[in-house]
């Protein structure tokens, strides 16, 4: 069977719901440290956006007993396990947030890390290959890079529905759990912005897991931190890198290549392979055997 | 009539032929100053590429009595006044240009401005509106920003077939000439790279027309120079700006807004409105009356 | 007569008093736009500092009918027309402004332009040569660069008492007035920070006079704005440039060289030669004839 | 006894001789990868400089059986175990290396990492305290930061004779050896330049030991590599950080603080504490017991 939804019907990763057991601290992190803007509230949820996100929100932050991801939405036309939609609410800034230039969604906040827009989402998968095929065949996304182990197992895949080299990544869950959240990423304009982001996280007592450094896979410049609720959040910069080729063939990384660590030799930190939300100690779902 | 080629059939701006009356000096500019790589030669032409361009070439530099543009090609399926194609030759680097990371087209040159990839093309148009409609209706491109004068005339349009906010721009030819070339742009990763580019052009005696500065329209950070053959070349950086919205409405700039100059107030230099190649003194074609 | 104070007795430019007819707006500019920190208040004055300034304050902002400079102080031992002192109050940050790293004066604010430290001061002089000789002979400063007109008149001088290539500059007052203030400069870490500063000034409706661009003289990367009280303020970055040579000879710039404009060809804006505070219309002091 | 040479008589770190068992490869590293310029040759030595170094050379590269440091020179007036001098040869660029701006030592190379100037030197010391006292008392340098262990031993000291926060550092030799070389550092303008430096080292197969990352001590942004001869070389950026205070008190770092790793949490790599040149296996001198 080939894809029932065509690639072009899926516009882009649109918003993600994060669950936090410390919602007030998480909110302060996203607003004061990352520099995001609160759009509205409803019930136990606060809706947030980065300054160049065009929609009403790209992040829904919801109080919850356990950290993790609530849902993910792509903007387009049709359903499946994911939430896919077309009708949306474009963000209309209040007067004090109107930008000086009319081709910008909102005034530049000049606060904290000043993240610009939602970039991508990374999920831990019990079965990477099955998930990749679902996104390729059912949702028409393209795989741009992959990790294939010596035994043929797929350990990671990066897929896209735009000219960004990935909108979504999934890596094998070390524990075989299903649906755990690895990280959500907001983009900034330059590698210097990522470095400044690390300075700011340090000043605010935010736990820096690893980075800043350059990924070998996808070559993005990364900083990984844990927001106070426990979810991993990345700030990244891709420079001018885009995938424009219509016949791009997935780049396959081997076990030997991955052992070299990140682009400049930094060894991948152990927790990057094992930590996700909910933390495995609080995970109660099924596991792959 | 609606578009006969659908937007998704046009992948991206692919290559441009520039004509130079001083081909040796032009070649030195592209290789030594911009840091591009020569892929091959044939007859009076040299084929060149930036380090992250995936195809064999994105620039064909051809000796000619008069400066200007030879042709422009988009990668896709069908023809028209433009050259459109699908079959291509992916770049295969010789051993000494193999990159350290396999997801990169070529080794980073570490020479001159180190431009990364072809970004966009700007043409002077006798009739901006007609050209815009052609690109929208026939080629399925989307217009993201426009200049509309108080009398209703269109003075400029920026169109795209990717998530970049423009792949092609056309602005009104002050002299009503047809098909003059305004500029070709190569992208770098950061605004700092553009600034360093200005330092390098200064050291090499390259004429800097204007910049570095930030455009109000499209917000790209620009540097405009004339290559030795007389053609205007831009080095730009867009940061993390992309157009992801499927229902993006063109941003319309008025005369009054344009009079404010560029983003931070720099007045647009006069030659930017009048100079193109071939220079008007050497232009022999028809003019709009 | 040779200098009565030796160069090494003058440590560095320490603080400057600015006079503002709109003190509340000026204060908002320095705190919210530039990202400075208020240290204390007394009478009509507010004391301010940048995040890496080690003293209690580097700027004293005082309400006044007319804009201009109140005084300038160097830290050291002896007096003259300037205020020179040794005893000082090191800044002791309150708990919420304690930095994460103990070798830093204060927590990074992550607000606005985040200026780092006082860099230099520029005065309009009725007699550049006389002022230069005073700073050289009496205060033991060194001249690193100068403008000498074809008729032998000195039109500008840059002097230093540190390894920075200048701490103080004076340029000829077009109107022959005495003691008018040209600008005060706070330094940031990179050229990218200056560019971001321009973005932030634009968003805040701050008048940008010129820049960002690179000076030919001293090669600093500049942005000039007017704070709401009317005083010109610069944000600059010098990269890794320092004057380390003990026998550095002043670089002399000629009229012809100055006509080339700034480093990358930007013409120096007219107001840069004529505007100072108090504005000439409000200036009531003596003039050179 | 107090210093016999006054602080101000020692102008700056001037040049360092490095010994290489692979002189041709080392030379290619300094010229092609770091972007330095060869000034002249004599015997087994090549004299090199960065583009903004004002003297004839800041690095003397000499063929040798074993890697290490030959000598270090400060520019000033009097002798001791170090080589100190005043008379020097200012660099006079040949026509093809003349800069566009006359206040610059040489044309910007636009090649490789484009290091700007010699920044500092780090030595492994058998007795840190004795060496610190020598530099303070005999040579009049100031200590800006130190590591003091819980038992009172000094494990590292950073001293300066300029407004840079250090020109020279010495850290305890793990093996108690005397006079081993730890690293030599060239400065670039921005943290982005250091990152690009890492990209370039990766492309050239240069061993990256650690970084880019930010030091907690001194807050410089570092990249450590081994040049082909085995000597450790650093590329760093300090942003706008300077020590201007005449009464700066040394910042003392404790064992507990050092265990936190570098500024953003990167653990200090083991070889950083043990590797120096000559490598301990080839070291034949005395050791502290």
């Amino acid at each position: 069977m080939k894809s029932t939804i065509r690639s072009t019907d899926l516009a882009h990763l649109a918003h993600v719901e994060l669950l936090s057991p410390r919602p007030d601290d998480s909110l302060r992190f996203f607003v004061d440290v990352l520099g995001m803007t609160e759009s509205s509230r409803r019930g136990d949820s606060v809706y947030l956006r980065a300054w160049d996100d065009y929609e009403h929100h790209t992040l829904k932050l919801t109080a919850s007993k356990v950290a993790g991801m609530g849902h993910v939405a792509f903007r387009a036309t049709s359903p499946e396990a994911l939430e896919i939609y077309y009708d949306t609410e474009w963000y209309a800034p209040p007067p004090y947030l109107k930008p000086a230039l009319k081709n910008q969604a909102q005034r530049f906040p000049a606060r904290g890390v000043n993240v610009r827009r939602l970039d991508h989402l990374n999920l831990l998968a019990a079965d990477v290959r099955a998930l990749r095929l679902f996104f390729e065949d059912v949702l028409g996304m393209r795989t741009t890079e992959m990790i294939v182990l010596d035994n043929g197992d797929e350990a990671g895949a990066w897929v896209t529905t735009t000219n960004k080299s990935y909108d979504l990544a999934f890596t094998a869950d070390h524990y075989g759990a299903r649906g755990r959240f690895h990280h959500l990423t907001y983009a900034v304009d330059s590698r210097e912005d990522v470095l400044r982001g690390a300075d700011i996280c340090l000043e605010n007592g935010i736990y820096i897991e690893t980075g800043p450094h350059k990924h070998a896979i996808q070559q993005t410049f990364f900083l990984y931190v844990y927001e106070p609720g426990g979810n991993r959040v990345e700030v990244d910069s891709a420079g001018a890198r885009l995938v424009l080729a219509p016949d791009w063939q997935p780049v396959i990384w081997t076990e030997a290549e991955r052992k070299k660590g990140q682009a400049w030799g930094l060894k991948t930190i152990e927790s990057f392979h094992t930590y996700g939300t909910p933390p495995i100690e609080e995970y109660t779902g099924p596991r792959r055997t």
Side-chain angles (χ1 to χ4, degrees), chain A:
Chain A
M1 185 202 75
K2 259 302 173 184
S3 76
T4 54
I5 298 186
R6 301 199 31 268
S7 146
T8 48
D9 294 334
L10 211 56
H12 60 87
L13 175 64
H15 52 260
V16 175
E17 180 180 23
L18 281 189
L19 311 176
S20 172
R22 292 173 54 195
D24 293 344
D25 293 338
S26 293
L27 181 59
R28 270 192 291 275
F29 167 80
F30 286 109
V31 173
D32 295 337
V33 179
L34 288 200
M36 293 177 70
T37 300
E38 179 180 328
S39 292
S40 65
R41 300 188 178 209
R42 197 162 59 182
D44 283 341
S45 299
V46 180
Y47 296 84
L48 296 152
R49 47 190 298 290
W51 64 269
D52 202 30
D53 284 328
Y54 75 90
E55 288 181 284
H56 173 269
H57 67 278
T58 52
L59 176 64
K60 180 183 182 182
L61 179 66
T62 300
S64 173
K65 275 179 66 177
V66 179
M69 185 182 82
H71 71 259
V72 52
F74 280 79
R75 187 162 179 221
T77 43
S78 313
E80 201 75 16
L82 300 169
E83 178 195 318
I84 302 178
Y85 68 102
Y86 177 76
D87 291 329
T88 192
E89 181 182 351
W90 278 62
Y91 178 67
Y96 67 94
L97 290 180
K98 278 197 72 162
L101 297 175
K102 64 202 287 186
N103 52 1
Q104 186 173 313
Q106 172 200 315
R107 178 179 174 145
F108 181 76
R111 181 183 67 244
V113 183
N114 293 303
V115 292
R116 180 168 194 149
R117 60 164 169 72
L118 176 61
D119 191 82
H120 68 268
L121 171 71
N122 186 306
L123 302 174
L124 289 171
D127 186 336
V128 168
R129 185 168 180 277
L131 206 54
R132 174 178 67 77
L133 292 176
F134 171 79
F135 279 98
E136 286 183 1
D137 293 344
V138 179
L139 296 176
M141 294 180 82
R142 292 189 296 156
T143 299
T144 53
E145 308 207 12
M146 299 171 68
I147 301 172
V148 179
L149 303 183
D150 295 350
N151 66 7
D153 282 0
E154 297 184 12
W158 285 255
V159 301
T160 189
T161 187
T162 65
N163 293 119
K164 293 196 297 106
S165 61
Y166 60 120
D167 300 317
L168 186 58
F170 17 90
T171 44
D173 192 310
H174 188 78
Y175 301 105
R178 291 176 186 280
R180 290 204 303 153
F181 169 82
H182 194 268
H183 70 265
L184 183 68
T185 303
Y186 278 87
V188 289
D189 283 330
S190 67
R191 303 203 283 196
E192 173 59 29
D193 287 342
V194 178
L195 298 176
R196 191 58 95 188
D199 290 334
I200 292 168
C201 287
L202 176 70
E203 290 286 28
N204 284 278
I206 299 300
Y207 177 69
I208 297 175
E209 184 187 35
T210 185
H213 201 92
K214 179 181 179 167
H215 278 299
I217 298 177
Q218 300 289 0
Q219 299 202 16
T220 40
F221 191 68
F222 64 83
L223 167 69
Y224 290 100
V225 304
Y226 295 172
E227 57 88 17
N231 296 296
R232 185 188 280 107
V233 174
E234 183 190 19
V235 174
D236 89 346
S237 170
R241 188 174 199 250
L242 293 175
V243 167
L244 300 174
D247 52 352
W248 177 273
Q249 294 305 310
V251 175
I252 312 290
W253 298 86
T254 66
E255 271 185 59
E257 287 167 339
R258 292 311 306 129
K259 281 189 182 136
K260 292 182 188 171
Q262 300 303 329
W264 301 319
L266 182 72
K267 293 306 162 205
T268 305
I269 198 165
E270 179 60 21
S271 58
F272 199 74
H273 295 302
T274 55
Y275 184 75
T277 45
I280 197 63
E281 301 76 22
E282 308 183 40
Y283 174 77
T284 55
R287 299 192 187 198
R288 195 187 199 194
T289 46

